[in-house]
Amino acid sequence: LSLWRGLKMSVERRSGFSLLIHWYCVRRQQQDQKGLECITPLVNSVEETPESIATEVSGTIPTWIRGNLLRNGPGKFEFGNQHYNHWFDGMAMLHQFKIVDGKVTYRSCFLRSDAYKKNSERDRIMVSEFGTVAMPDPCKNFFLRFLSRFEMIEATDNASVSFVKYKGDYYVSTETNFMHKVDPESLETMNKVDWTKFVAVNMATAHPHTDPDGTAFNMGNSYGTKGALYNIIKVPSTKNNPDETLEGAKVLCSIIPADKSRPSYYHSFAMTENYVVFIEQPIKMDLLKIITSKLRGKAISQGVYWDPKLDTVFHLVDKHTGKTSSTKFHTKPLSVFHQINAFEEDGFVMLDMCCADNGDAIKNYLIQNLRKSGEALDQVYNTTSRAFPRRFVLPLNVNDDTPTGVNLNTRPASSATSVKTVVCHFEDLHGDDLFEYGGLEFPQINYSKFNTRPYRYFYGCGFQHLVGDSLLKMDLKEKKLKVWYKKGMFPSEPVFVPSPEAVDEDDGVILSVVVTPTEDKSTFLLVLDARTWEELGRAEVPVNIPYGFHGAFNSTA
């Protein structure tokens, strides 16, 4: 179906030989899989391990690595006889791999969010999540159950997406207005922080960007009687007192959606030295359906949909003035969850991100789909669009005198194009070898040294399954891959840790948590040499860990 939709749209824009080439490229991206391994254990509930336990290290873990690999993701998928529907709904479980002197200890605990505590106290789902609506309390009488349908849906504080940092403190975050401050040493849940108490937004992403001085930028929507706005948020780098959280945060600018009642969903955004780049994509949110979801007994996810008739639009915002560029950059319908990097060069913004040609994938990640096996599992995967790394080149100097119908990308080393009004076509940041690994997601770079700067390497997971099943290193100079793959093993998002005296961009290690569904208590922390892509060591953990989302390295060196 996704292939047919892509061809249908392409017919409107292409003809003859170019159409055949496009069909071939799409078909290669959508290589079908057969006989996929069942991954049910990766999305099953597990017990927490609140006290640190030792791991068994094999190989060598460099002694210069000192700190905590912090990971976040869902770890509990039911309460009593009620279960969650979507992978994103599970209760946040926090993980810590403490690395000191070549040894590793492990601990985990559930985030003590209000959602977790309410659900635990009643042993039923009391707070709605993205794909699951909390049903009226059966202990109430019929009239009260009826009235509860008319209550506004309560925003969850189940912060299961990532670890983020503001003013030197660690928080766990999701995509509502709530975060929780967390102690990176004990994983103790500390302050609950509400964005609405500091800036006029109703939510914020779990993927902020940080300037070298510690100033953080994020994005969040606000909803009013006149519809939605996209807002760029700026958070200062320092505190005036130790108890501060988001004090001093401000809305840098607001962007009006193309359709105020159906704004775009976004998981993240891009940033250069001088600009924030917002990607307004055709994954849309029907606000009326979302607002009335509890009344209708439907989950929030039912109000999110893909509209392939719409373009993807890039918006540039000056970080220093808050001024939005009058030039809007259009490209074909794409879905984007994660950017790789963005930087300015020769009067252009180079925007690198992982893109798919279809935005329906989010609906495929139902827990019942992830727990399928055999042909049913193959069918779910084969109808899920894969993401591939692509570069867009956005010219900064577009004005009334700029000629139309001319490629504005004058960089000889780039095959990307931009034509006024400005229509952009991407450049692939990969060779044909990436097709056999199912594309790339969870991209990471040497962030502290190369974010917002020209760079050569990025890292990610290959997706020959519904979750990552390989670790990939991409060399942009040669567009060549290095691959770590072991059948039946599923690595998490790679985290790059630079060596203390690093000179080269890839001088450091990659940390990834590897889980396997076929063996009980067989999880391990993998350490790869980021330069050679060879395994240095691993630390085996004698507990079961579900497949998670994002993490961060908290250096204590």
Side-chain angles (χ1 to χ4, degrees):
L1 180 60
S2 60
L3 178 61
W4 167 247
R5 285 175 178 165
L7 282 172
K8 180 177 180 293
M9 292 171 59
S10 298
V11 168
E12 299 172 359
R13 304 178 185 180
R14 297 177 172 84
S15 61
F17 183 71
S18 63
L19 178 59
L20 287 175
I21 294 297
H22 177 71
W23 179 88
Y24 174 74
C25 293
V26 171
R27 190 72 188 93
R28 290 209 61 182
Q29 293 178 27
Q30 295 296 117
Q31 292 182 42
D32 287 353
Q33 293 282 355
K34 292 183 179 179
L36 289 174
E37 180 178 354
C38 179
I39 57 171
T40 295
L42 306 189
V43 287
N44 279 343
S45 298
V46 299
E47 298 295 325
E48 59 185 357
T49 308
E51 300 298 327
S52 292
I53 59 173
T55 66
E56 183 176 340
V57 174
S58 58
T60 302
I61 295 178
T63 55
W64 58 260
I65 307 175
R66 298 182 67 88
N68 304 314
L69 175 64
L70 305 171
R71 293 276 303 155
N72 196 352
K76 186 174 178 62
F77 298 95
E78 65 281 315
F79 285 91
N81 61 2
Q82 296 183 350
H83 64 272
Y84 290 111
N85 297 322
H86 200 282
W87 189 26
F88 299 171
D89 299 344
M91 291 292 97
M93 186 174 224
L94 315 181
H95 309 265
Q96 178 206 73
F97 294 83
K98 179 179 286 292
I99 308 172
V100 179
D101 297 331
K103 298 179 180 179
V104 180
T105 58
Y106 169 79
R107 73 166 71 197
S108 66
C109 67
F110 287 108
L111 176 70
R112 264 48 182 190
S113 62
D114 289 347
Y116 177 84
K117 289 186 286 189
K118 289 178 182 178
N119 296 339
S120 298
E121 288 168 4
R122 301 296 296 273
D123 198 25
R124 62 185 299 269
I125 296 173
M126 299 292 294
V127 180
S128 295
E129 300 290 341
F130 174 72
T132 306
V133 60
M135 301 308 295
D137 189 341
C139 295
K140 292 181 179 180
N141 62 41
F142 173 81
F143 182 66
L144 290 178
R145 291 201 304 272
F146 174 74
L147 286 181
S148 68
R149 293 271 191 181
F150 295 87
E151 297 171 355
M152 285 294 293
I153 195 163
E154 179 184 3
T156 182
D157 66 336
N158 176 36
S160 63
V161 177
S162 65
F163 276 86
V164 298
K165 202 172 184 180
Y166 295 102
K167 300 183 182 181
D169 293 327
Y170 279 94
Y171 297 81
V172 287
S173 180
T174 181
E175 295 181 338
T176 68
N177 53 303
F178 294 118
M179 300 190 299
H180 287 272
K181 187 176 178 181
V182 172
D183 184 336
E185 290 297 325
S186 67
L187 297 184
E188 177 188 358
T189 303
M190 301 170 72
N191 303 352
K192 177 180 176 180
V193 178
D194 183 350
W195 278 97
T196 66
K197 305 298 183 185
F198 302 94
V199 285
V201 298
N202 297 98
M203 55 77 68
T205 80
H207 289 289
H209 277 291
T210 307
D211 272 344
D213 68 354
T215 301
F217 293 83
N218 206 338
M219 285 198 63
N221 283 3
S222 56
Y223 306 107
T225 55
K226 296 183 179 180
L229 291 173
Y230 310 121
N231 302 287
I232 313 294
I233 309 164
K234 184 176 181 179
V235 182
S237 60
T238 58
K239 302 178 183 179
N240 291 321
N241 67 71
D243 297 325
E244 271 193 12
T245 56
L246 297 175
E247 282 82 357
K250 65 178 182 179
V251 171
L252 186 64
C253 86
S254 299
I255 300 169
I256 300 173
D259 184 341
K260 288 186 176 183
S261 65
R262 293 178 176 84
S264 291
Y265 166 80
Y266 54 94
H267 184 70
S268 59
F269 61 99
M271 187 177 83
T272 71
E273 182 179 356
N274 295 299
Y275 296 94
V276 167
V277 187
F278 169 56
I279 299 97
E280 189 173 17
Q281 62 183 345
I283 300 179
K284 310 298 286 184
M285 299 187 296
D286 188 320
L287 296 186
L288 181 60
K289 284 187 176 180
I290 291 173
I291 292 170
T292 61
S293 59
K294 190 170 184 178
L295 174 63
R296 297 180 297 111
K298 302 292 185 180
I300 294 170
S301 59
Q302 298 298 307
V304 180
Y305 65 98
W306 167 249
D307 188 347
K309 300 185 296 298
L310 301 176
D311 280 353
T312 300
V313 182
F314 305 121
H315 301 263
L316 263 59
V317 177
D318 189 305
K319 288 164 56 177
H320 310 292
T321 66
K323 183 179 179 181
T324 304
S325 171
S326 59
T327 303
K328 300 297 180 279
F329 303 87
H330 290 246
T331 192
K332 59 178 281 188
L334 297 170
S335 76
V336 181
F337 275 83
H338 302 109
Q339 286 73 44
I340 305 167
N341 198 4
F343 58 93
E344 299 159 45
E345 190 173 73
D346 301 329
F348 299 92
V349 166
M350 320 297 285
L351 173 61
D352 298 349
M353 55 191 190
C354 294
C355 312
D357 294 319
N358 186 296
D360 284 331
I362 194 170
K363 294 185 178 180
N364 278 3
Y365 281 88
L366 298 173
I367 293 173
Q368 65 181 24
N369 286 342
L370 294 170
R371 291 176 177 172
K372 287 181 177 179
S373 60
E375 292 182 2
L377 178 61
D378 295 344
Q379 183 179 13
V380 173
Y381 177 80
N382 292 330
T383 56
T384 301
S385 185
R386 269 70 109 190
F388 288 84
R390 296 166 176 172
R391 170 169 292 175
F392 291 86
V393 178
L394 313 181
L396 291 172
N397 300 313
V398 178
N399 54 45
D400 293 340
D401 297 326
T402 302
T404 59
V406 176
N407 183 10
L408 304 180
N409 178 16
T410 56
R411 301 177 71 258
S414 173
S415 61
T417 62
S418 296
V419 180
K420 186 185 176 182
T421 31
V422 177
V423 179
C424 304
H425 183 72
F426 59 82
E427 169 191 357
D428 286 324
L429 294 182
H430 62 88
D432 287 350
D433 51 353
L434 184 58
F435 292 123
E436 68 178 283
Y437 295 103
L440 183 148
E441 251 294 353
F442 292 147
Q444 292 286 310
I445 61 171
N446 182 343
Y447 190 94
S448 61
K449 298 288 186 179
F450 289 89
N451 188 50
T452 75
R453 299 181 178 94
Y455 69 114
R456 178 173 177 176
Y457 304 106
F458 65 90
Y459 318 95
C461 287
F463 274 76
Q464 295 179 92
H465 209 300
L466 289 170
V467 298
D469 71 336
S470 61
L471 290 170
L472 307 177
K473 176 185 179 180
M474 178 64 74
D475 181 344
L476 286 174
K477 185 176 181 181
E478 305 291 339
K479 291 189 179 179
K480 289 185 178 179
L481 282 177
K482 288 185 177 180
V483 181
W484 183 93
Y485 170 78
K486 304 290 182 184
K487 184 175 175 56
M489 296 184 180
F490 297 86
S492 71
E493 169 192 70
V495 174
F496 179 85
V497 182
S499 61
E501 305 298 327
V503 175
D504 295 330
E505 179 181 345
D506 59 348
D507 187 357
V509 298
I510 289 291
L511 304 179
S512 177
V513 179
V514 182
V515 294
T516 175
T518 56
E519 297 181 36
D520 189 47
K521 299 180 180 179
S522 56
T523 303
F524 61 90
L525 173 66
L526 175 68
V527 183
L528 294 180
D529 184 316
R531 179 177 292 162
T532 66
W533 218 237
E534 295 177 354
E535 180 176 336
L536 298 175
R538 62 176 65 180
E540 298 182 12
V541 184
V543 299
N544 291 320
I545 299 176
Y547 196 89
F549 296 141
H550 298 290
F553 184 74
N554 166 227
S555 176
T556 57

